[in-house]
Amino acid sequence: MSREIIAILRGITPDEAIGVTEALIDAGISKIEVPLNSPEPFDSISKMLELAGENALVGAGTVLTVENVARLKQIGAQMVISPDANPDVIMATKASGMLSYPGVFTPTECFSALRHGADGLKFFPAFKFGIDGFNAVKAVLPKETKTYAVGGVGPANFADWQAAGITGFGIGSNLYKQGRSVADIAAIAKDMVASYDEAFGA
């Protein structure tokens, strides 16, 4: 099954890319993001894409410019994730055939992102927005809108967010940190998948 968990690998290096990608896919996490403020992110993404094939969606986070989008298209990335909802970035992403997940916090940002073609909305930082805030905004969004909580979310509150109607999650330092071993990442990922499956009835 394709779980709506996006692994955010901020700080990963090209040397780590293969081992971490294998561990995530084996655990059942098939959406992988390398933020562009990581060391040599395009090299890491290229390696991950070659390894993953059709077994995972691999893309970039912290994508702030149309130029970044163009380079991601060149290397075959499949999704673009941003901390903001820049219409130019969203439109360039869609024109390039990639999935677009911009960061939002207000209804104005949500609807602007959707009008410009976003595939899903990344509520960031989710721990500041809160489930109450999410419920208030979700009430006015189109029912088919895909929504992701990012920042301060993890297995302990998967069920609470699921009950509120969230589509999925972006998980960063709770899953990957610089210096964490592949074995530890694999164990954390497996526990996270088990919690997700329990919360979502998979």
Side-chain angles (χ1 to χ4, degrees):
M1 64 173 289
S2 179
R3 297 173 180 86
E4 293 287 0
I5 300 174
I6 301 172
I8 304 170
L9 309 180
R10 190 177 308 280
I12 196 167
T13 66
D15 289 343
E16 299 175 278
I18 296 298
V20 172
T21 301
E22 287 177 334
L24 293 173
I25 293 173
D26 287 347
I29 295 176
S30 58
K31 294 179 175 65
I32 302 170
E33 165 194 341
V34 177
L36 291 186
N37 56 359
S38 303
E40 302 177 81
F42 296 99
D43 290 345
S44 292
I45 293 168
S46 294
K47 288 186 175 186
M48 291 175 174
L49 286 165
E50 185 175 353
L51 170 72
E54 296 182 356
N55 295 316
L57 286 174
V58 181
T62 320
V63 180
L64 301 174
T65 69
V66 170
E67 290 75 19
N68 288 156
V69 174
R71 188 166 177 191
L72 289 165
K73 179 185 178 181
Q74 286 178 343
I75 65 173
Q78 297 152 311
M79 61 181 178
V80 169
I81 303 167
S82 301
D84 65 344
N86 183 330
D88 291 339
V89 169
I90 297 169
M91 290 188 293
T93 298
K94 295 312 299 172
S96 298
M98 294 182 284
L99 296 169
S100 171
Y101 299 106
V104 297
F105 202 76
T106 67
T108 298
E109 291 172 339
C110 291
F111 281 102
S112 175
L114 292 173
R115 289 185 188 112
H116 287 95
D119 294 283
L121 304 176
K122 164 187 155 182
F123 286 90
F124 172 81
F127 73 96
K128 288 293 186 184
F129 195 65
I131 290 174
D132 288 345
F134 172 70
N135 274 324
V137 172
K138 181 174 71 73
V140 298
L141 293 176
K143 293 191 182 302
E144 69 274 13
T145 303
K146 290 190 173 185
T147 54
Y148 299 82
V150 181
V153 294
N157 53 24
F158 278 174
D160 293 336
W161 281 97
Q162 187 278 333
I166 203 78
T167 302
F169 307 95
I171 308 292
S173 58
N174 283 340
L175 176 60
Y176 171 86
K177 286 182 180 177
Q178 287 176 294
R180 183 171 282 164
S181 72
V182 171
D184 285 347
I185 293 166
I188 293 168
K190 287 174 183 175
D191 288 345
M192 197 164 285
V193 163
S195 296
Y196 176 95
D197 287 354
E198 182 177 357
F200 284 78

